[in-house]
Amino acid sequence: MKLICYKKCTTCKGVEKMLEEKNISYEYRDIKEDNPSADEIQYWHEKTELPIKRFFNTSGKIYRENNIKDKLTEMTNEEAYDLLATDGMLVKRPILFTDDGEIFVGPDVKKYIESL
């Protein structure tokens, strides 16, 4: 498994703890240090079929300060991918990639791990 997180995020810390308690090994990627590319985000969006808004960290400072909520309805998916690729702090986390090729985003990560 691969887990994309932010070290200071309490939700991410909780997910890591759950994985460790279940003895599930995973590869860790820090979203602040290794920001996803627009191509990666597009792939995740298309693979999960989630609304593009689900990939935005809507409670984050950058999202709020730039009124992205108001701009999002006017954006194309490509514009959203490009925007998300500018800063990892804009991207919803955690993101979990299973060995089976499934992708879980945000609260769905915790639900998935609980089901294991």
Side-chain angles (χ1 to χ4, degrees):
M1 288 192 192
K2 181 184 258 184
L3 182 66
I4 298 180
C5 275
Y6 175 53
K7 291 198 181 289
K8 295 182 181 178
C9 172
T10 55
T11 303
C12 290
K13 288 177 185 178
V15 164
E16 284 188 275
K17 184 177 179 183
M18 289 173 69
L19 288 168
E20 289 165 9
E21 286 172 351
K22 291 183 177 264
N23 293 318
I24 299 171
S25 62
Y26 60 94
E27 179 185 332
Y28 183 90
R29 176 176 169 184
D30 188 322
I31 201 160
K32 187 165 176 80
E33 302 298 321
D34 187 6
N35 190 47
S37 69
D39 288 341
E40 285 178 298
I41 296 164
Q42 179 178 358
Y43 174 75
W44 303 340
H45 178 231
E46 291 171 355
K47 174 89 172 160
T48 62
E49 299 181 352
L50 293 169
I52 191 63
K53 184 178 180 180
R54 287 280 309 273
F55 289 89
F56 279 89
N57 178 13
T58 57
S59 61
K61 182 179 176 182
I62 298 170
Y63 184 88
R64 291 189 321 268
E65 286 179 352
N66 292 288
N67 293 324
I68 294 172
K69 177 183 175 185
D70 298 331
K71 298 173 185 174
L72 197 54
T73 57
E74 304 294 320
M75 275 185 211
T76 65
N77 283 341
E78 288 72 24
E79 290 169 331
Y81 304 147
D82 289 341
L83 179 59
L84 286 162
T86 64
D87 193 316
M89 295 296 93
L90 273 173
V91 181
K92 184 72 173 176
R93 56 200 179 260
I95 303 172
L96 180 72
F97 304 86
T98 70
D99 295 335
D100 297 336
E102 291 182 281
I103 301 171
F104 296 93
V105 180
D108 295 339
V109 172
K110 190 174 180 181
K111 289 176 190 171
Y112 172 74
I113 295 169
E114 288 171 342
S115 74
L116 296 176

